[in-house]
Amino acid sequence: MKTPPSALAPFVRSDAQGDVLAHVLLHPDREFSIADVQRATGTAAAVAHREVTRLLDAGVLTDRTVGRSRMVRVNPDYPLLRPLTELVTATYGPVPVLKDVLRGIDGVREAYIFGSWAARRAGEAGPTPRDVDVLVVGSAPRAALADAARAAEQWLSREVNISRVSAAEWDEGTAPFVRTVRSRPLTAVVPEEV
């Protein structure tokens, strides 16, 4: 399966590789099976395996075998780890970061990234996004969403704007804001893309 080149980060081979890098680099204290990586990134199993293998061959990741599973993690001795992590966080970090900060907030039925970041992710050309726009569908408390936005900003080093609409507004789809958001590219955060 051929994956298209990245519009978010031209130095990354593909969005699949960017997603794999972000998932693993943003959790340096964790170890993942290739199936974990595949599920978390929504890539095909063969693509996840290929991208993990490339990153292992390059020395970015290390692996070990546990039973029949191949477990991978960040190689803390990789000489370019810090700048690579900064680049990947700025470009592919919003999805895993937002999954982490929104996890556990009651009332989040769905969450999407929209605006310029989602447009770049969809392959639309343009400048690097300066912020990340997020739409939460549900009844999550605004204070909890504001805390989540601040936490995401700390990780991403860029502004994160979280808007909330009710489930009824989203399902109806007639409000002008909802119609506008739905007419442009969206990247699912909750539930995860599969």
Side-chain angles (χ1 to χ4, degrees):
M1 175 186 299
K2 185 172 170 129
T3 54
S6 169
L8 272 174
F11 53 85
V12 175
R13 291 183 70 264
S14 67
D15 285 333
Q17 186 180 64
D19 288 339
V20 169
L21 277 166
H23 182 69
V24 179
L25 292 179
L26 295 178
H27 300 97
D29 55 331
R30 291 178 50 197
E31 192 173 50
F32 303 95
S33 69
I34 294 176
D36 293 334
V37 172
Q38 184 263 324
R39 278 190 298 275
T41 61
T43 58
V47 173
H49 186 270
R50 183 180 64 233
E51 295 303 341
V52 166
T53 299
R54 283 186 173 126
L55 294 169
L56 286 163
D57 291 345
V60 177
L61 304 179
T62 62
D63 66 342
R64 69 185 181 104
T65 303
V66 178
R68 293 174 32 136
S69 295
R70 185 177 186 189
M71 305 300 290
V72 298
R73 70 178 319 133
V74 172
N75 178 0
D77 298 324
Y78 181 66
L80 300 174
L81 182 60
R82 183 175 177 179
L84 179 61
T85 300
E86 289 172 1
L87 286 169
V88 169
T89 300
T91 53
Y92 285 90
V95 172
V97 166
L98 287 164
K99 283 179 188 177
D100 285 347
V101 300
L102 292 173
R103 183 178 291 125
I105 297 178
D106 288 333
V108 176
R109 185 184 90 175
E110 299 170 56
Y112 301 93
I113 298 174
F114 67 99
S116 59
W117 192 91
R120 296 307 158 272
R121 179 59 194 259
E124 291 183 17
T128 301
R130 295 179 186 260
D131 62 359
V132 179
D133 297 309
V134 181
L135 177 69
V136 168
V137 177
S139 59
R142 291 195 190 278
L145 296 177
D147 290 344
R150 281 190 293 277
E153 287 173 349
Q154 290 295 311
W155 274 14
L156 299 172
S157 299
R158 70 176 60 188
E159 186 177 347
V160 174
N161 306 300
I162 299 180
S163 302
R164 184 190 75 184
V165 298
S166 70
E169 286 175 295
W170 184 251
D171 293 342
E172 266 181 29
T174 57
F177 174 68
V178 172
R179 278 199 325 263
T180 300
V181 169
R182 284 182 159 207
S183 72
R184 303 286 299 137
L186 294 172
T187 300
V189 176
V190 176
E192 299 176 6
E193 290 179 303
V194 289

